[in-house]
Amino acid sequence: MDKKNKNFEAKLLNMPYEKPDTYGALSMPVYNSVAFEFKTAKEMEEAFCGLSNDYYYSRIDNPTVRYFENRVKNITDSMSATAVNSGMAAIANVIISIASTGCNIITSPHLFGNTYTFLSSILANFGIEIRFCDLTDLEQVQSLTDDNTCAVFLEIITNPQLEIADLQALSTICHKSGIPLIADTTIIPFCSFDARTFGVDIEIVSSTKYISGGATTVGGLIIDYGIFNWKKSLPLQKWYYNFGKEAFTKRLRREIHRNLGAYMSPQTAYMQSLGLETLQLRYERQAATCLELASLLKKSDKIISVNYTGLKDNRFHEISNKQFGAAPGAMMTIDLASRQACFDFIDKLKIIRRATNLFDNKTLAIHPSSTIFGTFSEEQRKKMDLRQETIRLSIGLESTEDLLADIEQALK
């Protein structure tokens, strides 16, 4: 993989514990305790008031979860990492931390279904305007920004349209206007993509996907690179004057996430910390298989089209290669002749599983228009460029030969 982080494994596997383990455990123990005891009332006061890093309640902080967060912080060279109980919780906590009534957020209509609903429906009830536009059209993005724009938000590769915007160009527009660039980077993991080098200020990850190590647990991550000046952010102004570049993280940790109750559980953190240890190995295998399989499927006369940005004839190939390397992730889509053809194909699969989720160890197939976006109107799906003829494939760890054989028999 030409985007490989050469120090990834060494930094990850040699991350020390905060305190030496009594028994010398090589894996961080699971601290399933709700509360933690103090020696004095003064120590309790300091912990509750944020004057020490001592643990006091696992809805706020926990040793197992903090170790997972610190591993992520270490491998991303970020200022902070906050672990929550799902990718959607990560998105919600970030937006609530930086937005207020009267603000607007610029984003693409090409979003995952639940993200789209959260932004367009739920936030509207709180007086937050969502401005949908083509994020690949920089002039359009620039024209929509104003003094009330609190963020530009995007998925680095949209799901399932596989659209890619120029992150550095968007970052330049954002930072000239004092607007943070917030990106959901779930599709490409840390080992192959450094969000900070492309100007991303806040990174959001559904750790349910690659990180969990085979769909073991649901989780999310919020990563703050500490590079954005929050002085102009109305919800964060008082936090900026007290904490400077840490303004976002301080508000998130001390006010938003502790009051919304979305902190990751210790057992989940333990499982996902183990998943991190094999992340790069699994990702390289899955992404390489996806590229190879997509190239082979292009030759099939039974498939109308194959969408994978690693293919040289894909309209986003150039920017994809620049940002994510030759094998950009393990998700592709194929278009068949009709909705019924998609259903018939899915029903005939023998190895590939009929299931949602992405980047499991097993390859998964789903018909997005009738499932993830099944409750959307046909008009909404059209605006989001969702077709009834599209099947999404999440590539797992099976061999290319076995996956190709399964797809070919299902197409007959």
Side-chain angles (χ1 to χ4, degrees), residues 158-214:
T158 65
N159 171 17
Q161 300 88 350
L162 280 79
E163 174 187 273
I164 299 176
D166 187 327
L167 293 171
Q168 286 182 326
L170 284 176
S171 175
T172 298
I173 291 173
C174 287
H175 295 163
K176 281 184 178 179
S177 303
I179 300 167
L181 180 62
I182 300 173
D184 182 334
T185 67
T186 300
I187 299 296
I188 310 289
F190 317 125
C191 57
S192 195
F193 175 66
D194 182 356
R196 180 173 53 183
T197 64
F198 290 95
V200 174
D201 299 297
I202 303 295
E203 183 174 7
I204 296 169
V205 180
S206 171
S207 55
T208 310
K209 311 302 191 291
Y210 291 116
I211 292 173
S212 75

Side-chain angles (χ1 to χ4, degrees), residues 18 65 100 186 217 222 250 259 277 294 300 338 355 379 397 408:
E18 261 184 332
V65 183
S100 60
T186 300
T217 43
I222 301 164
K250 291 297 184 184
N259 291 326
E277 296 183 0
S300 173
S338 65
E379 182 181 357
L397 296 175
E408 287 179 338

Side-chain angles (χ1 to χ4, degrees), residues 56-91:
Y56 60 96
Y57 194 57
S58 281
R59 178 169 56 80
I60 312 298
D61 206 353
N62 175 277
T64 310
V65 183
R66 191 190 292 182
Y67 179 68
F68 173 58
E69 292 172 330
N70 284 340
R71 291 188 106 175
V72 172
K73 177 182 172 182
N74 191 36
I75 59 179
T76 58
D77 290 323
S78 58
M79 186 185 72
S80 72
T82 302
V84 291
N85 55 27
S86 71
M88 282 307 305
I91 292 171

Side-chain angles (χ1 to χ4, degrees), residues 1 188-189 192 210 279-287 327-329:
M1 303 288 290
I188 310 289
S192 195
Y210 291 116
L279 171 62
Q280 186 152 306
L281 289 171
R282 288 181 287 103
Y283 175 71
E284 289 183 359
R285 168 69 178 267
Q286 288 172 281

Side-chain angles (χ1 to χ4, degrees), residues 146-355:
D146 58 31
D147 291 340
N148 293 320
T149 302
C150 66
V152 171
F153 171 80
L154 79 161
E155 297 170 7
I156 58 170
I157 302 180
T158 65
N159 171 17
Q161 300 88 350
L162 280 79
E163 174 187 273
I164 299 176
D166 187 327
L167 293 171
Q168 286 182 326
L170 284 176
S171 175
T172 298
I173 291 173
C174 287
H175 295 163
K176 281 184 178 179
S177 303
I179 300 167
L181 180 62
I182 300 173
D184 182 334
T185 67
T186 300
I187 299 296
I188 310 289
F190 317 125
C191 57
S192 195
F193 175 66
D194 182 356
R196 180 173 53 183
T197 64
F198 290 95
V200 174
D201 299 297
I202 303 295
E203 183 174 7
I204 296 169
V205 180
S206 171
S207 55
T208 310
K209 311 302 191 291
Y210 291 116
I211 292 173
S212 75
T216 61
T217 43
V218 176
L221 286 163
I222 301 164
I223 300 165
D224 182 355
Y225 286 98
I227 55 178
F228 187 74
N229 185 341
W230 297 99
K231 186 176 182 179
K232 292 184 179 180
S233 172
L234 187 60
L236 291 173
Q237 275 183 358
K238 71 172 185 178
W239 298 88
Y240 172 79
Y241 289 118
N242 287 326
F243 302 106
K245 67 179 183 179
E246 294 182 280
F248 169 82
T249 290
K250 291 297 184 184
R251 187 183 188 211
L252 173 70
R253 300 287 302 209
R254 295 189 177 187
E255 184 176 75
I256 304 301
H257 114 269
R258 73 159 59 190
N259 291 326
L260 292 183
Y263 198 47
M264 182 176 279
S265 72
Q267 185 64 43
T268 295
Y270 172 79
M271 296 295 291
Q272 298 202 355
S273 195
L274 292 180
L276 274 177
E277 296 183 0
T278 58
L279 171 62
Q280 186 152 306
L281 289 171
R282 288 181 287 103
Y283 175 71
E284 289 183 359
R285 168 69 178 267
Q286 288 172 281
T289 300
C290 195
L291 175 60
E292 185 180 11
L293 186 64
S295 301
L296 292 169
L297 294 179
K298 286 278 292 182
K299 301 173 184 178
S300 173
D301 58 3
K302 296 182 176 64
I303 296 175
I304 305 299
S305 64
V306 178
N307 189 7
Y308 182 65
T309 63
L311 296 173
K312 291 183 179 179
D313 62 349
N314 187 282
R315 68 189 183 108
F316 294 111
H317 177 72
E318 184 177 349
I319 188 66
S320 176
N321 191 61
K322 174 186 174 183
Q323 294 180 169
F324 314 122
M331 179 181 75
M332 72 167 83
T333 65
I334 59 173
D335 275 23
L336 301 183
S338 65
R339 170 188 164 103
Q340 188 58 50
C342 291
F343 277 42
D344 291 342
F345 169 83
I346 290 173
D347 288 349
K348 292 177 184 176
L349 291 170
K350 296 178 180 178
I351 294 176
I352 298 172
R353 310 300 181 94
R354 291 171 283 274

